[in-house]
Amino acid sequence: MMAAKKTQVAIIMGSDSDLGVMKEAAKALDTFKISYDVKILSAHRSPDKTARFAKNAKKNGIKVIIAGAGGAAHLAGVVAAHTILPVIGVPIESKLNGLDSLLSTVQMPAGIPVATMAVGKAGAINAAILAAEIIGICEEKIEKKLVMFKQELVKKIDDKNKQLKI
Amino acid sequence: MMAAKKTQVAIIMGSDSDLGVMKEAAKALDTFKISYDVKILSAHRSPDKTARFAKNAKKNGIKVIIAGAGGAAHLAGVVAAHTILPVIGVPIESKLNGLDSLLSTVQMPAGIPVATMAVGKAGAINAAILAAEIIGICEEKIEKKLVMFKQELVKKIDDKNKQLKI
Amino acid sequence: MMAAKKTQVAIIMGSDSDLGVMKEAAKALDTFKISYDVKILSAHRSPDKTARFAKNAKKNGIKVIIAGAGGAAHLAGVVAAHTILPVIGVPIESKLNGLDSLLSTVQMPAGIPVATMAVGKAGAINAAILAAEIIGICEEKIEKKLVMFKQELVKKIDDKNKQLKI
Amino acid sequence: MMAAKKTQVAIIMGSDSDLGVMKEAAKALDTFKISYDVKILSAHRSPDKTARFAKNAKKNGIKVIIAGAGGAAHLAGVVAAHTILPVIGVPIESKLNGLDSLLSTVQMPAGIPVATMAVGKAGAINAAILAAEIIGICEEKIEKKLVMFKQELVKKIDDKNKQLKI
Amino acid sequence: MMAAKKTQVAIIMGSDSDLGVMKEAAKALDTFKISYDVKILSAHRSPDKTARFAKNAKKNGIKVIIAGAGGAAHLAGVVAAHTILPVIGVPIESKLNGLDSLLSTVQMPAGIPVATMAVGKAGAINAAILAAEIIGICEEKIEKKLVMFKQELVKKIDDKNKQLKI
Amino acid sequence: MMAAKKTQVAIIMGSDSDLGVMKEAAKALDTFKISYDVKILSAHRSPDKTARFAKNAKKNGIKVIIAGAGGAAHLAGVVAAHTILPVIGVPIESKLNGLDSLLSTVQMPAGIPVATMAVGKAGAINAAILAAEIIGICEEKIEKKLVMFKQELVKKIDDKNKQLKI
Amino acid sequence: MMAAKKTQVAIIMGSDSDLGVMKEAAKALDTFKISYDVKILSAHRSPDKTARFAKNAKKNGIKVIIAGAGGAAHLAGVVAAHTILPVIGVPIESKLNGLDSLLSTVQMPAGIPVATMAVGKAGAINAAILAAEIIGICEEKIEKKLVMFKQELVKKIDDKNKQLKI
Amino acid sequence: MMAAKKTQVAIIMGSDSDLGVMKEAAKALDTFKISYDVKILSAHRSPDKTARFAKNAKKNGIKVIIAGAGGAAHLAGVVAAHTILPVIGVPIESKLNGLDSLLSTVQMPAGIPVATMAVGKAGAINAAILAAEIIGICEEKIEKKLVMFKQELVKKIDDKNKQLKI
């Protein structure tokens, strides 16, 4: 399901146990027909590969990086340190309900932003949508898909209301 | 100091008491020579103006919206509901240290992302940098400024180390 | 089970997944014979319908609005922005135990109150009772039902004490 | 400044140290020309007087009770136990930033609702507005004041925007 | 299993759903051969009975009151308001992990102490031991049982160490 | 001001910086004419002295131990480990608002209770009152003082109400 | 599996219910071929044995102590009070998600450090690795094992990436 | 005051604003006559220098690394990723009271430990003492200083008790 050449988005995560959450980002990118790549890269266990990935991402044509991690979730911040691409962080649930993951991802010092999403699957899906919104600024094709996506959200709620029984 | 025509970024905030924090975003955009507009718009006190602003932002040429709010900080989420532009949320300190502002901004449901920054001034500065990174994807001029900005960060630390006395 | 004409209370919720909690409000209203309507309305996914609903609620004869939502729970606040009717907020459990839902609902800025209830089902039941108390101010029939309801609470505890085995 | 006969709202608080916050509720009621009474009543230090007050409130013509307390803030809940009037709780700041006050006020068991407001002064102001909304359901005079109050909120934001300098 | 005449300890709880936790207190009192009584009494649903119980406890020969409650746990505080007996509070787990129960129980204002225990079963057991320690101050028989109980704790750990396999 | 022979209560604290809070306990014991002793004893810095103190407290005639500490507040728990006397813990404010002090004091394992009070000065005052309640069980003189103390609480609120101006 | 003579590390825990977590530390030490001993020692239930253990640890040849405990987790701090050996604390999950265990372990006063690890199994494993790093400073054999261990971490991620399917 | 050749400890911090806290570590190392070096190194602003520093620390003779950082405090974790030396993390106060700094430092994944200290100055002092304890394992000179340091702690408390006035 991974898109072919000219990958626009990189989805990275700290551990393969994060895949259950992060594949939601992949599925959402599929609906926007945005090409992506998925990789396990740990800020702590494979720091050099992570740094190399981040430094080369732009020249490899990547436009947005989505990074998911839990606990002392440093991955998004560490990647953001090495790139001028927008980095989107997805905090993944942990021992402390994901509060640690959220704070470790969002409380970045001035100079190095991480665009932080909600904890868990909703966050992973939204990371993909934000990536689409970012790419959509200069790609009209994506922009149109986003307009349709928003209309679809309204329609789904209409349908739910029709089925609603209480 | 507000930039002239073809405004690229809108900085909005829930109350004029948020200006002390949010003008940091404006100052940071100045360094990237990105044009912006500043407005007070409340999700709760002026909901119709806020909705109208959000719906028209794209056609008015805005590329990124930065929204700062505190407490039950709904502004960024409400704006995101009405636009397909990337919306960046800055949680502003409150009675509960900003934890309420942070959670109200970041925990968005699947479908409507808000790119959430750190609480307070660091978050406002980073909102501007993230806006630059997003615009930089299709504007080479901004991209170059970001590369220089990152080099500057390293240099500043070098300078601090030279002055370091203990 | 939904009451016929002259609906007095509107029960709205952000998603059909909230129905398990919010139908407790409906059941409690049934015991007070207060008519109500149930709708899915999202502050984020169907913002225009939500605003329209809130603006028209009063002229449609609604007296109290009960709004349930989880995560960055903006629904009650957004509805309150558009009406002068009392709005009761029910925070629904989420990734962060409902702390995010609670803070997003209760920490409203001066000017726009949301009458916030406990997290989850107890909150949904209490929303209905509060609605009855509010309507009971000018409807003697409801007032009497509330007096009986309170006596019933005492009696139930008496019964439990009789059955108590340890 | 306290209104004359036929008092509609009772403002009570656990200690005179809460007055700095709770007088905001009184001032807001003044703007709606709603009559009120202010009393110190402690759930813990004067429990009998508190219970007597709550039991008699309705027959004394009170329509809404606003109760402010901090720490293990039991006042609103204890009063709600003795009345079928709507009880609005205002959590007041404490050693733990008001999180204890908030949770003690809002997490009421099924059967006894407390309409909880934000922590501190914003909460006190909103308690008065909610009281107005509740009374406004059957008093057209108040209803009109609320409509004007909401228009005023929008106008104030317009004024702020005109003055905005950055 | 409930002890006969001259009841020394009252175990009360807000709801029969708390019995699973609070019977641990009863069992622990059995091991100290301290007589007790168990009752459901709600600060919110049966406030008059609760007040009456608390006011009469001392003259009924009760020496220590153990009160368990969850959520906005007002029971221990409300009882303490009406008695000069030592009141021990046991916070019971809730939607927010028991943090609300704990803070509502422990953060009492100056003048009305509640001896707060840990959240849940450990707290219920410890409430009984604390009751024994309090009664043990003037009853030598209980004092001896406490000395033996402490020796038993050490012995149990020795036994566990002997069985320890890793 | 420290009472002479036959000391009934020991007030201990982890550091002399805790004295500002803990002297409130001493002052409150003075009003009940309960004799006490004040000592600095650290669970971490002088563990042997602390253990010796706790082991000998009962045979030295002490009836209740009040222990104040902040941060990883182990003092009350460590003392409780060595005695069958009731131990009252006062959590003292810290870097994390006293939440760490509170949790370290209250969350004791089954077997070793610590009667935990509110964070800070209110907690210190209440520790003294609880000590009086405990001693009052077998000392009629103290019991009478407690009855008067409770009447005084009510009277003070009456006085405040008379002075109340708004 | 416990290593023979010249034990270098002591693994202690407050209760046998902590063994499920703490045996992860033992297994990790096995991979470094570091000898260890496992014991149940409670700061509260067997305080004298715990103090004796800590005082003698150094002269018994122990180099590092790993202590796991939950709730009001005093074990690591109490042991650190009696030794100049490095003490590593592992907070174990509890009623409050382990936040109480974490704060009770980490917030030690100046003078008595506890090297605190993450909550739960990850923390237990890391305690063993930190012990290896500490011993590795003066034991070249361990140092080499650590270098290999780090290389292994990278390799495992490479393998996971090869297997990655999405 | 910085010690000359053969530096044993490196004190690093994310920003010069952390110096107020971190110089406490330096002062404490001075009392143990342990040589150290102080540097500003940011995980986010100077990631390459930070990685290089960490990779070379061991071969440069460093035995222990102390890293202080606030907010999304990644410094200690990032350094730990590149070295097999023990890394001690000091969480520095921030917008959220240091809870974010603490969780970002301590919740490390299995494989990469960070020995986390208390938030703020107490943590910085303890980082130095832990470093001394670690070095003391193979340096008898340091070991003796630690024994004296512990005796000094007891003596200081004795002195405070002599001066105690209440």
Side-chain angles (χ1 to χ4, degrees):
Chain A
M1 222 162 299
M2 228 180 300
K5 66 172 175 329
K6 218 172 66 73
T7 303
Q8 289 183 297
V9 174
I11 301 175
I12 62 175
M13 65 202 81
S15 152
D16 60 333
S17 66
D18 301 333
L19 197 59
V21 169
M22 295 310 292
K23 73 181 168 199
E24 297 294 326
K27 287 195 286 183
L29 287 174
D30 280 335
T31 68
F32 291 107
K33 299 211 189 301
I34 292 176
S35 58
Y36 59 87
D37 216 6
V38 180
K39 253 195 207 31
I40 299 172
L41 279 172
S42 165
H44 302 122
R45 284 175 286 210
S46 58
D48 288 324
K49 298 208 172 186
T50 302
R52 221 173 308 133
F53 159 81
K55 283 178 188 175
N56 295 329
K58 192 170 176 66
K59 88 171 76 118
N60 287 336
I62 297 294
K63 289 182 174 162
V64 179
I65 298 170
I66 297 174
H74 299 184
L75 184 60
V78 160
V79 164
H82 289 291
T83 184
I84 60 164
L85 291 176
V87 175
I88 305 175
V90 180
I92 291 180
E93 291 91 337
S94 66
K95 289 278 175 220
L96 296 169
N97 275 335
L99 187 66
D100 47 357
S101 321
L102 172 56
L103 297 180
S104 306
T105 304
V106 78
Q107 287 293 82
M108 292 293 291
I112 312 288
V114 166
T116 305
M117 300 288 106
V119 176
K121 289 190 176 181
I125 295 169
N126 279 350
I129 300 172
L130 179 61
E133 290 176 352
I134 290 171
I135 296 171
I137 289 179
C138 26
E139 273 193 44
E140 217 180 322
K141 202 175 55 192
I142 300 291
E143 191 197 313
K144 274 177 194 161
K145 286 208 171 70
L146 281 162
V147 172
M148 276 167 53
F149 174 80
K150 267 206 135 69
Q151 290 164 344
E152 199 63 29
L153 287 178
V154 179
K155 203 183 151 308
K156 270 183 200 158
I157 285 187
D158 287 349
D159 292 350
K160 296 274 187 192
N161 270 315
K162 277 169 204 155
Q163 293 159 26
L164 198 65
K165 280 215 185 69
I166 196 159
Chain B
M1 222 161 297
M2 227 181 300
K5 64 171 176 324
K6 218 172 65 74
T7 304
Q8 290 183 296
V9 174
I11 301 175
I12 62 175
M13 66 203 80
S15 152
D16 60 331
S17 66
D18 301 332
L19 197 58
V21 169
M22 295 310 291
K23 74 181 167 198
E24 298 294 326
K27 287 196 285 182
L29 287 173
D30 280 335
T31 67
F32 291 107
K33 298 211 189 301
I34 292 175
S35 57
Y36 58 88
D37 215 7
V38 178
K39 254 196 207 29
I40 299 171
L41 280 172
S42 166
H44 302 122
R45 284 176 287 209
S46 59
D48 288 323
K49 297 208 172 188
T50 302
R52 222 173 307 133
F53 158 80
K55 283 178 187 175
N56 295 329
K58 192 169 175 68
K59 88 172 75 117
N60 286 337
I62 298 293
K63 289 183 174 162
V64 178
I65 298 171
I66 296 174
H74 300 184
L75 185 59
V78 160
V79 165
H82 289 290
T83 184
I84 60 164
L85 291 175
V87 176
I88 304 175
V90 179
I92 291 180
E93 291 91 337
S94 66
K95 290 280 175 218
L96 297 169
N97 276 333
L99 187 66
D100 46 357
S101 321
L102 172 56
L103 298 180
S104 306
T105 303
V106 78
Q107 287 293 82
M108 292 293 291
I112 312 288
V114 166
T116 305
M117 299 289 106
V119 176
K121 289 189 178 183
I125 296 169
N126 279 350
I129 301 171
L130 179 62
E133 290 177 351
I134 290 171
I135 296 171
I137 289 180
C138 28
E139 274 194 42
E140 216 179 323
K141 203 173 56 192
I142 301 292
E143 191 197 312
K144 274 177 194 161
K145 287 207 172 71
L146 281 162
V147 172
M148 276 167 54
F149 174 79
K150 266 206 137 69
Q151 289 164 346
E152 200 63 29
L153 288 178
V154 179
K155 203 182 150 308
K156 271 184 200 158
I157 285 187
D158 287 350
D159 292 350
K160 297 273 186 192
N161 270 316
K162 277 167 205 156
Q163 293 159 25
L164 197 66
K165 280 212 186 70
I166 195 158
Chain C
M1 223 162 298
M2 230 183 299
K5 64 167 176 325
K6 217 169 68 71
T7 303
Q8 290 183 297
V9 174
I11 302 174
I12 61 175
M13 67 202 80
S15 151
D16 60 332
S17 66
D18 300 333
L19 197 59
V21 169
M22 295 310 291
K23 75 181 168 198
E24 297 294 324
K27 287 196 285 183
L29 287 173
D30 280 336
T31 69
F32 291 107
K33 298 209 189 302
I34 292 175
S35 57
Y36 60 87
D37 216 7
V38 179
K39 253 196 209 27
I40 299 171
L41 280 171
S42 165
H44 302 122
R45 284 175 286 209
S46 59
D48 288 323
K49 299 207 171 186
T50 302
R52 221 174 307 133
F53 158 80
K55 284 177 186 175
N56 295 330
K58 191 169 176 67
K59 89 171 74 115
N60 287 337
I62 297 294
K63 289 181 176 162
V64 179
I65 298 170
I66 297 173
H74 299 184
L75 184 61
V78 159
V79 165
H82 289 291
T83 184
I84 60 164
L85 292 175
V87 176
I88 305 174
V90 179
I92 291 180
E93 292 91 338
S94 66
K95 289 280 175 217
L96 296 169
N97 276 333
L99 187 66
D100 47 356
S101 321
L102 172 56
L103 297 180
S104 306
T105 303
V106 78
Q107 288 292 82
M108 291 291 291
I112 312 288
V114 166
T116 305
M117 301 287 105
V119 176
K121 288 189 177 182
I125 296 169
N126 279 350
I129 300 172
L130 179 62
E133 290 176 352
I134 290 170
I135 296 171
I137 289 180
C138 27
E139 272 194 43
E140 218 180 321
K141 205 174 52 193
I142 300 291
E143 191 197 313
K144 275 179 193 157
K145 286 208 172 71
L146 281 162
V147 172
M148 276 168 52
F149 174 79
K150 267 207 136 68
Q151 289 165 345
E152 199 64 29
L153 288 178
V154 180
K155 205 183 149 307
K156 269 183 202 159
I157 285 187
D158 287 350
D159 291 351
K160 296 272 187 193
N161 270 315
K162 278 169 204 153
Q163 293 158 25
L164 198 65
K165 279 211 188 71
I166 196 159
Chain D
M1 221 162 296
M2 227 181 300
K5 66 175 174 335
K6 218 171 67 71
T7 304
Q8 290 183 297
V9 174
I11 301 174
I12 62 175
M13 66 203 79
S15 151
D16 60 331
S17 66
D18 301 333
L19 198 58
V21 169
M22 295 310 293
K23 74 182 168 198
E24 297 294 325
K27 287 195 286 185
L29 287 173
D30 280 336
T31 67
F32 291 107
K33 298 209 189 303
I34 292 176
S35 57
Y36 59 88
D37 216 7
V38 178
K39 254 194 209 27
I40 299 171
L41 280 171
S42 166
H44 302 122
R45 284 175 287 208
S46 59
D48 288 324
K49 298 207 171 187
T50 302
R52 220 173 308 133
F53 158 81
K55 283 177 187 175
N56 295 328
K58 191 168 176 67
K59 88 171 75 116
N60 286 336
I62 298 294
K63 289 182 175 162
V64 178
I65 298 171
I66 297 174
H74 299 183
L75 185 60
V78 160
V79 164
H82 289 291
T83 184
I84 59 163
L85 292 175
V87 176
I88 305 175
V90 180
I92 291 179
E93 291 90 338
S94 66
K95 290 277 175 220
L96 296 170
N97 275 335
L99 187 66
D100 46 357
S101 321
L102 172 56
L103 297 180
S104 306
T105 303
V106 78
Q107 287 294 80
M108 292 293 291
I112 312 288
V114 166
T116 304
M117 300 288 106
V119 176
K121 288 188 176 181
I125 295 169
N126 279 350
I129 301 171
L130 179 61
E133 290 176 351
I134 290 170
I135 296 171
I137 289 180
C138 27
E139 272 194 43
E140 215 179 323
K141 205 174 53 193
I142 300 293
E143 192 196 312
K144 275 177 193 160
K145 286 206 172 70
L146 281 162
V147 171
M148 277 167 53
F149 174 79
K150 267 207 136 69
Q151 289 165 344
E152 200 63 28
L153 288 178
V154 179
K155 203 183 150 309
K156 271 183 200 158
I157 286 186
D158 287 350
D159 292 350
K160 296 272 186 193
N161 270 315
K162 278 169 203 154
Q163 293 158 26
L164 197 66
K165 280 210 185 71
I166 195 157
Chain E
M1 221 162 298
M2 229 182 298
K5 65 170 177 324
K6 219 171 67 71
T7 303
Q8 289 183 298
V9 174
I11 301 174
I12 62 175
M13 66 202 80
S15 151
D16 61 332
S17 67
D18 301 333
L19 197 59
V21 169
M22 295 310 292
K23 74 182 168 197
E24 297 294 326
K27 287 196 285 184
L29 287 173
D30 280 336
T31 68
F32 290 108
K33 298 210 189 301
I34 293 176
S35 58
Y36 59 87
D37 217 8
V38 179
K39 254 195 207 28
I40 299 171
L41 281 171
S42 166
H44 301 123
R45 284 175 286 207
S46 58
D48 289 323
K49 298 207 172 188
T50 302
R52 222 174 305 134
F53 159 80
K55 284 178 186 175
N56 295 329
K58 191 169 177 65
K59 88 170 76 114
N60 287 336
I62 297 294
K63 289 181 175 162
V64 178
I65 298 170
I66 296 173
H74 299 184
L75 184 60
V78 160
V79 165
H82 289 291
T83 184
I84 61 164
L85 292 175
V87 176
I88 305 174
V90 180
I92 291 179
E93 291 90 339
S94 66
K95 290 278 175 221
L96 296 169
N97 275 335
L99 187 66
D100 47 357
S101 321
L102 172 56
L103 296 180
S104 305
T105 303
V106 79
Q107 287 293 80
M108 291 292 291
I112 311 287
V114 167
T116 305
M117 301 287 105
V119 176
K121 288 187 178 184
I125 295 169
N126 278 351
I129 300 172
L130 179 62
E133 290 177 351
I134 290 171
I135 295 171
I137 289 180
C138 27
E139 273 193 43
E140 217 180 321
K141 207 174 52 193
I142 300 292
E143 192 197 311
K144 275 179 193 158
K145 287 207 171 72
L146 281 162
V147 172
M148 277 167 52
F149 174 80
K150 267 207 135 70
Q151 290 164 344
E152 199 63 29
L153 288 178
V154 180
K155 205 184 148 307
K156 270 183 201 159
I157 285 187
D158 286 350
D159 292 351
K160 297 272 186 193
N161 269 316
K162 277 169 204 154
Q163 293 159 25
L164 197 65
K165 279 211 188 70
I166 195 158
Chain F
M1 219 163 299
M2 228 181 299
K5 63 174 176 335
K6 221 172 67 70
T7 303
Q8 290 184 296
V9 174
I11 301 174
I12 62 175
M13 68 202 80
S15 151
D16 60 331
S17 67
D18 300 333
L19 198 58
V21 169
M22 294 310 291
K23 75 182 167 197
E24 298 294 325
K27 287 196 285 183
L29 287 173
D30 280 336
T31 68
F32 291 108
K33 298 210 189 303
I34 292 175
S35 58
Y36 59 88
D37 217 7
V38 179
K39 253 195 209 28
I40 299 171
L41 280 172
S42 166
H44 302 123
R45 283 174 286 207
S46 58
D48 288 323
K49 299 208 171 187
T50 301
R52 222 174 306 133
F53 158 80
K55 283 177 185 175
N56 295 329
K58 191 168 176 68
K59 90 172 73 119
N60 286 337
I62 297 294
K63 289 183 175 161
V64 179
I65 298 170
I66 296 173
H74 299 184
L75 184 60
V78 159
V79 165
H82 288 292
T83 184
I84 60 165
L85 291 175
V87 176
I88 305 174
V90 180
I92 291 180
E93 292 89 337
S94 66
K95 289 278 174 220
L96 295 170
N97 275 334
L99 187 65
D100 48 356
S101 321
L102 172 55
L103 297 180
S104 307
T105 303
V106 78
Q107 288 294 81
M108 291 292 292
I112 312 288
V114 166
T116 304
M117 301 287 105
V119 176
K121 288 188 177 182
I125 295 170
N126 278 351
I129 300 171
L130 179 62
E133 290 177 350
I134 290 171
I135 296 171
I137 288 180
C138 28
E139 270 193 45
E140 217 180 321
K141 206 173 52 194
I142 300 292
E143 190 197 313
K144 276 178 192 158
K145 286 208 172 71
L146 281 163
V147 172
M148 276 167 53
F149 174 80
K150 267 207 135 71
Q151 290 164 346
E152 200 63 29
L153 288 178
V154 179
K155 204 182 150 306
K156 269 184 202 158
I157 285 186
D158 287 351
D159 292 350
K160 297 273 187 192
N161 270 315
K162 277 168 204 155
Q163 292 158 26
L164 198 66
K165 281 212 184 69
I166 196 158
Chain G
M1 222 160 299
M2 227 181 300
K5 66 172 174 335
K6 222 171 64 74
T7 303
Q8 291 183 296
V9 174
I11 301 174
I12 62 175
M13 66 202 81
S15 151
D16 60 331
S17 65
D18 302 332
L19 197 59
V21 169
M22 294 310 292
K23 74 181 169 199
E24 298 294 326
K27 287 195 286 183
L29 287 173
D30 280 336
T31 67
F32 291 108
K33 298 209 189 301
I34 292 176
S35 57
Y36 59 88
D37 216 8
V38 179
K39 255 195 206 28
I40 299 171
L41 280 171
S42 166
H44 302 122
R45 284 175 287 207
S46 59
D48 289 323
K49 298 208 172 188
T50 303
R52 220 173 307 134
F53 159 80
K55 283 177 187 175
N56 295 329
K58 191 168 176 67
K59 89 171 74 118
N60 286 337
I62 297 293
K63 289 183 175 161
V64 178
I65 298 171
I66 296 173
H74 299 183
L75 185 60
V78 159
V79 164
H82 290 290
T83 184
I84 60 163
L85 292 176
V87 176
I88 304 174
V90 179
I92 291 179
E93 291 91 339
S94 66
K95 289 279 175 218
L96 296 169
N97 275 335
L99 187 66
D100 48 356
S101 321
L102 171 57
L103 296 180
S104 306
T105 302
V106 78
Q107 287 293 81
M108 291 293 290
I112 312 289
V114 166
T116 305
M117 300 288 106
V119 176
K121 288 188 177 182
I125 295 169
N126 278 351
I129 300 172
L130 179 62
E133 290 176 351
I134 290 171
I135 296 171
I137 289 180
C138 26
E139 273 194 44
E140 217 180 322
K141 203 174 54 193
I142 300 292
E143 192 197 312
K144 275 178 194 161
K145 287 207 170 70
L146 281 162
V147 172
M148 276 166 54
F149 174 80
K150 267 207 136 71
Q151 290 165 344
E152 199 64 27
L153 288 178
V154 180
K155 205 184 149 306
K156 271 183 201 158
I157 286 187
D158 287 350
D159 291 350
K160 296 273 187 192
N161 270 316
K162 277 168 204 155
Q163 293 159 25
L164 199 64
K165 280 214 184 68
I166 196 157
Chain H
M1 221 162 298
M2 228 182 299
K5 64 172 176 326
K6 220 172 65 75
T7 303
Q8 289 183 298
V9 174
I11 302 175
I12 62 175
M13 66 202 80
S15 151
D16 61 332
S17 66
D18 300 332
L19 197 59
V21 168
M22 294 310 291
K23 75 181 166 198
E24 298 294 326
K27 287 196 285 184
L29 287 174
D30 280 336
T31 69
F32 291 108
K33 298 210 189 302
I34 292 176
S35 58
Y36 59 88
D37 216 7
V38 179
K39 252 196 209 29
I40 299 171
L41 280 172
S42 165
H44 302 121
R45 284 175 286 209
S46 58
D48 287 324
K49 298 207 171 187
T50 302
R52 221 173 308 133
F53 158 80
K55 284 179 187 175
N56 295 329
K58 192 170 175 66
K59 89 171 74 118
N60 287 336
I62 298 294
K63 288 182 176 164
V64 178
I65 298 170
I66 296 174
H74 300 183
L75 184 60
V78 159
V79 165
H82 289 291
T83 184
I84 59 165
L85 291 176
V87 176
I88 305 175
V90 179
I92 291 180
E93 292 91 338
S94 66
K95 289 280 175 218
L96 295 169
N97 277 333
L99 186 66
D100 47 356
S101 321
L102 172 56
L103 297 180
S104 306
T105 304
V106 78
Q107 287 293 83
M108 292 292 291
I112 312 288
V114 167
T116 305
M117 300 288 106
V119 176
K121 288 189 177 182
I125 295 169
N126 278 350
I129 300 172
L130 179 61
E133 290 177 352
I134 291 170
I135 297 171
I137 289 180
C138 28
E139 273 193 43
E140 216 179 322
K141 205 173 54 191
I142 300 291
E143 190 197 314
K144 274 177 193 161
K145 286 207 173 72
L146 281 163
V147 172
M148 276 168 53
F149 174 79
K150 267 206 136 70
Q151 289 164 346
E152 200 63 30
L153 288 178
V154 180
K155 204 182 148 308
K156 270 184 201 158
I157 285 187
D158 287 350
D159 292 349
K160 297 271 186 192
N161 269 315
K162 277 168 205 156
Q163 294 159 25
L164 198 65
K165 280 210 186 72
I166 195 159

